[in-house]
Amino acid sequence: MNPEKDPNQADALVAEAERISALLAEHAARHDREGTFPVEGLAATIRSPINTAAIGGEGGAGAPCSWLTFGRIVATLARGDASFATAWLMHQGAMSVFRALIDADERSRVEQALRRGAWVVNAQSEPTSGNMFLVPRQVARKAEGGHRLTGEKRFVTGCEHADFFFTGAVCDGQPAFFLIDRDDSISIDPVWDTLGMRATRSQIVRFNDTLLPDSRRLAAVDPPPPNPIPTGLGWLSIGIAEAAMAAAVAYARERVLPPADRPIAELQWVQFAVADMSLRLEAARALAARTAEAADAGDPAYGLLQLQAKAVANEAAVAIATSALEIAGGAGYMRSRPIERHLRDAMSGPLMALSGPVIREILGKTLLGVGGPEK
């Protein structure tokens, strides 16, 4: 991606995300309560220019939006419904790999489907993979036309609506990745019943002797380009933090206490709490923006920056949502207000790969110049 030459185009994309975010917000509480997928958001985004903004024009014509604009889109959607923003981000990450398809005819066919609104899901995480979700351990057997995979992938967000699966396996002793069609050999176990991100519907997907066609294999790219998922995860937490802070400010202005019937916004501890929210949020935004700018510029510092940005944004979202709940008190604990949902959703950020402890280990080893294979 590159910075837009036309800032008006970037603003138009963010404005479109704002429109969809408002739609998401109307239904977010119900989908969270029922654990159902935000189909309104799916229908709106696949018809929207934001859906293909990150891959640019057809056949490589027309530059994609900048990573900074992409991040703003993710944060905007997350303000409306963090579950759908997560699903959309995973779709964007899986969708973006189509240009690495080895077969040119298949690459063209998949691109046309994507531009018509096909939904792509990220089916990489295995039961034993932990944070190493791009290091498959399941072995696919050699077969006519490719390899066949039997195994399960976990945390496959939005999988019930999938047209394509981005997945991986060990083929002929080497990790290999594929972008495959959904077919009858693929089944879904509806197990998703969680504390937060309840509407992502991140189920178990089972591959039952599923063909991984050679024509749908992805070429290795070294070094790999920035991907929407690690770039966007920090912005996802920023959107949750923005929503939680907005809810806290609104409550502080409307809630009055007797006997003077003055709003709690006039209490010093509330003012300090909101000030701290703003400090955490602006720090997270600044680091996320710096990361996006490094990605746009091809700066090799991007790799570590994206880890730092995710950790800072994850922790900011949890702290801000917790503080919002403290300001709202019992009212914030009720599901009639969105604050408790924002807190539950915020808590998922540090758990998503790469998780907080793994990020700190990588950063520490890199900065100290230690690590490498254990002896």
Side-chain angles (χ1 to χ4, degrees):
M1 296 189 188
N2 296 298
E4 289 87 359
K5 295 180 180 178
D6 182 4
N8 292 331
Q9 182 183 24
D11 290 342
L13 289 171
V14 176
E16 173 69 0
E18 292 278 7
R19 180 187 69 81
I20 296 173
S21 182
L23 172 68
L24 293 171
E26 292 178 18
H27 304 276
R30 173 174 59 84
H31 288 304
D32 174 76
R33 183 173 60 252
E34 298 174 356
T36 51
F37 192 76
V39 291
E40 305 85 3
L42 176 60
T45 54
I46 62 175
R47 295 193 301 266
S48 169
I50 69 170
N51 194 48
T52 54
I55 62 174
E58 187 171 350
C65 70
S66 73
W67 286 116
L68 182 58
T69 295
F70 181 77
R72 291 173 62 198
I73 291 171
V74 173
T76 300
L77 295 178
R79 288 202 302 269
D81 185 346
S83 286
F84 181 77
T86 301
W88 186 79
L89 178 59
M90 298 301 158
H91 157 67
Q92 290 290 308
M95 179 173 70
S96 71
V97 305
F98 84 92
R99 287 205 169 100
L101 284 167
I102 294 173
D103 187 288
D105 290 337
E106 286 298 302
R107 187 164 61 246
S108 177
R109 191 178 81 79
V110 170
E111 179 176 5
Q112 293 302 315
L114 296 177
R115 295 190 184 280
R116 290 193 300 269
W119 187 252
V120 193
V121 300
N122 197 45
Q124 298 291 348
S125 183
E126 298 178 359
T128 60
S129 64
N131 275 254
M132 307 304 290
F133 57 92
L134 288 178
V135 184
R137 302 182 67 182
Q138 295 169 351
V139 177
R141 65 178 179 85
K142 186 70 175 176
E144 183 178 355
H147 292 75
R148 289 192 176 272
L149 174 63
T150 296
E152 70 179 47
K153 306 291 184 176
R154 297 189 172 188
F155 307 112
V156 186
T157 300
C159 58
E160 292 154 321
H161 300 274
D163 298 297
F164 297 106
F165 289 87
F166 170 42
T167 194
V170 177
C171 299
D172 303 320
Q174 297 295 324
F177 298 92
F178 301 82
L179 192 59
I180 65 171
D181 294 318
R182 182 175 184 170
D183 62 27
D184 291 341
S185 72
I186 301 172
S187 59
I188 296 172
D189 287 357
V191 298
W192 195 245
D193 186 13
T194 54
L195 174 71
M197 295 291 186
R198 291 182 48 78
T200 63
R201 303 286 294 175
S202 302
Q203 315 289 18
I204 290 175
V205 171
R206 298 189 186 279
F207 294 96
N208 306 291
D209 205 35
T210 300
L211 178 65
L212 306 178
D214 288 335
S215 62
R216 289 296 191 82
R217 191 165 180 162
L218 304 178
V221 180
D222 189 23
N227 182 275
I229 295 174
T231 304
L233 283 174
W235 291 99
L236 182 67
S237 285
I238 287 170
I240 296 171
E242 290 172 344
M245 181 173 175
V249 169
Y251 183 84
R253 289 171 175 168
E254 72 183 42
R255 177 70 165 102
V256 296
L257 293 178
D261 290 337
R262 305 294 295 271
I264 64 170
E266 296 184 9
L267 297 177
Q268 187 182 63
W269 77 265
V270 174
Q271 295 165 3
F272 281 16
V274 171
D276 284 342
M277 289 182 188
S278 72
L279 295 174
R280 290 189 173 95
L281 185 52
E282 289 302 331
R285 284 175 178 151
L287 186 50
R290 182 183 174 199
T291 303
E293 290 165 358
D296 285 323
D299 185 341
Y302 160 78
L304 286 184
L305 284 171
Q306 72 172 0
L307 299 180
Q308 293 170 322
K310 179 182 183 295
V312 169
N314 289 166
E315 293 166 13
V318 172
I320 290 170
T322 300
S323 185
L325 182 61
E326 292 170 349
I327 289 173
Y333 207 63
M334 302 292 289
R335 289 200 173 187
S336 56
R337 292 182 182 271
I339 292 174
E340 56 86 31
R341 170 165 52 87
H342 297 325
L343 177 55
R344 290 186 286 106
D345 288 345
M347 293 175 68
S348 69
L351 303 178
M352 292 184 188
L354 296 173
S355 64
V358 173
I359 287 175
R360 281 173 164 78
E361 180 181 16
I362 294 171
L363 290 173
K365 285 181 175 179
T366 302
L367 296 170
L368 291 167
V370 299
E374 293 185 3
K375 297 180 180 180

